[in-house]
Every structure is written in C-alpha cells, then in structure tokens.
Amino acid sequence: METETLSMAQEMDFSLLALFFRATFTVQLVMIALLAASIWVWAIAFQKFATYRLSRRRAAQFDAAFWSGEPLDELFEAVAPSPGSASERVFVAGMTEWQRSLRDDGALIPGVQQRVDRSMDVAIARESERLTSGLNFLATTGATAPFVGLFGTVWGIMRSFQEIASSGNTSLAVVAPGIAEALMATGLGLLAAIPAVILYNKLSADAERLVSGYEGFADEFSTLLSRQLD
C-alpha cells in the first residue's frame, strides 16, 4: 500500500503551472496578485534606476556650468525657458525670486534672502516628491506580501484537511498537492517581498543623496546671493 501511494505521489505533476491550475480560485487570485506585485516592483525599480542615473549626470553638467565663471544672469537666461534638471529648476526658482525682488531703481525689496531660500526649498521639496514617487509601493509590498502569501498558505492547508476529511485518507497522494500549493503561495509572497525591501532601501538612499546634493547646491547659491547683498 505504501509503495502504491508513493508511486501515485511521484507520478503527480508538481510544476509551477500544474500547482497553479490545481489550486483553488482563492489561492489562484493570491498567486496572481503576488506575481503582479513582483513584476510591478521590478518595473518601478528599473525606472527609478534610470531616472536617478540621468539626474546625477544632469546635476554634474549643471554644476560644471554654474561654477564655470559664467555670469549668473546669463546662465539664468539660458536655462530659465526650459530647465531640464532638478538643479536647474532649483536655480531658476531662486533666481526668479531674486529678480522679482529688484526694484526699478536697482534696490532690493527687504527680506529677499529669506524669500529666495523659501523658493528653493519649495523647488527641492517638489524634486524630492518626484524622486520618491512609487517607492511607497515597494515599501507596502515588502511589508504585506509575506502576509498575503501566508493567507494563501493557510487556505491551501485548509483545502488539504478538507480533502483528508472527505476521503478519509491521509496518504501522501492526498495531502501533497494541497501542501505544495500552499507552499507555492508562501514562496511567491517572499519572491515579491524580499526584492521589494532591498530595492526600497537602495532607492531611498539614492534619492536622499540626490536631494542632499540639491540642498547643498541651494546653500552654496544662497551664500553667493548673500555676498551680493552685503
């Protein structure tokens, strides 16, 4: 009897597709949701890696132009119509407020330094929001995917117990399919969660470094303007 049961278990198809199609509708929904979340996590990650790499390159190019000795008014006129990088947008925000504070007689409206700083802070906040958009999905997936997979696991084990109760047979051939489906749901949950957590930490650190660079540039630019005021 044991030999026959083992033979039946060995003949069963335990491939991923077979496990998916043998699973109940609820477990199938769990698997599809976890697989879709995993794909979306990687799509966000690749998009962010490309965005951050482009942002670093453009920031380096603008820094070179900013410190090249070219007059700031001429640089502003060149980049103001269509600022292409975050650094340029921060610079344009500061210079725009600076020019708005100029009177017709050439004097400056009091409080210009504070207004320029606030304008650049607002621009930096917008860039930070743009850089971190989508990262919340990675954090949510990393936190919830294991529990969603666990739900599928519990549901699959419940099905195994129901089949044992209905058949009155506790053989491996009866128990194995449900347990395998349950473990597959757990595996998909971990497949979505582990990369999501790693990528979230990596991309968050990259975004913070970029924003720190923008804040450093804003501080340097503010220092130059304060010298002009003095």
Side-chain angles (χ1 to χ4, degrees):
M1 184 67 179
E2 286 186 15
T3 304
E4 184 177 338
T5 302
L6 289 173
S7 177
M8 291 175 57
Q10 290 174 352
E11 290 176 0
M12 296 186 68
D13 187 0
F14 286 95
S15 64
L16 297 181
L17 284 177
L19 291 174
F20 173 79
F21 287 116
R22 279 204 307 266
T24 62
F25 180 69
T26 302
V27 178
Q28 286 180 343
L29 287 180
V30 169
M31 292 179 180
I32 291 172
L34 291 172
L35 185 60
S38 180
I39 293 173
W40 192 244
V41 162
W42 283 105
I44 291 175
F46 285 130
Q47 188 268 334
K48 289 299 178 184
F49 280 130
T51 299
Y52 293 173
R53 183 169 59 250
L54 180 62
S55 297
R56 284 191 292 268
R57 186 169 68 247
R58 286 181 172 177
Q61 291 172 350
F62 178 75
D63 283 347
F66 183 81
W67 296 108
S68 65
E70 180 182 357
L72 295 183
D73 290 339
E74 294 181 7
L75 181 61
F76 174 69
E77 291 176 1
V79 302
S82 58
S85 68
S87 297
E88 290 178 356
R89 286 187 284 271
V90 173
F91 170 71
V92 168
M95 282 296 294
T96 299
E97 184 58 39
W98 173 270
Q99 292 193 348
R100 286 174 180 171
S101 298
L102 285 173
R103 295 177 181 173
D104 294 337
D105 59 0
L108 287 168
I109 301 174
V112 60
Q113 184 75 49
Q114 291 77 13
R115 289 194 300 274
V116 169
D117 290 342
R118 283 198 297 271
S119 297
M120 290 192 292
D121 288 341
V122 170
I124 291 172
R126 289 173 181 163
E127 295 304 323
S128 177
E129 183 178 356
R130 183 182 66 85
L131 289 171
T132 57
S133 64
L135 296 187
N136 285 338
F137 181 81
L138 272 64
T140 302
T141 301
T144 60
F147 297 103
V148 176
L150 182 61
F151 170 75
T153 298
V154 172
W155 198 274
I157 292 175
M158 286 173 55
R159 180 195 175 195
S160 297
F161 284 129
Q162 290 170 356
E163 290 183 354
I164 291 172
S166 61
S167 64
N169 186 357
T170 59
S171 65
L172 184 62
V174 175
V175 177
I179 299 298
E181 296 158 14
L183 293 177
M184 182 178 175
T186 301
L188 287 176
L190 296 175
L191 181 67
I194 293 173
V197 172
I198 295 173
L199 291 170
Y200 173 78
N201 291 333
K202 164 64 176 171
L203 293 171
S204 295
D206 289 348
E208 288 178 3
R209 280 193 290 270
L210 284 168
V211 173
S212 295
Y214 303 148
E215 291 174 347
F217 166 75
D219 290 340
E220 292 173 342
F221 182 44
S222 180
T223 300
L224 291 177
L225 294 181
S226 66
R227 292 198 194 106
Q228 187 73 19
L229 285 172
D230 292 341

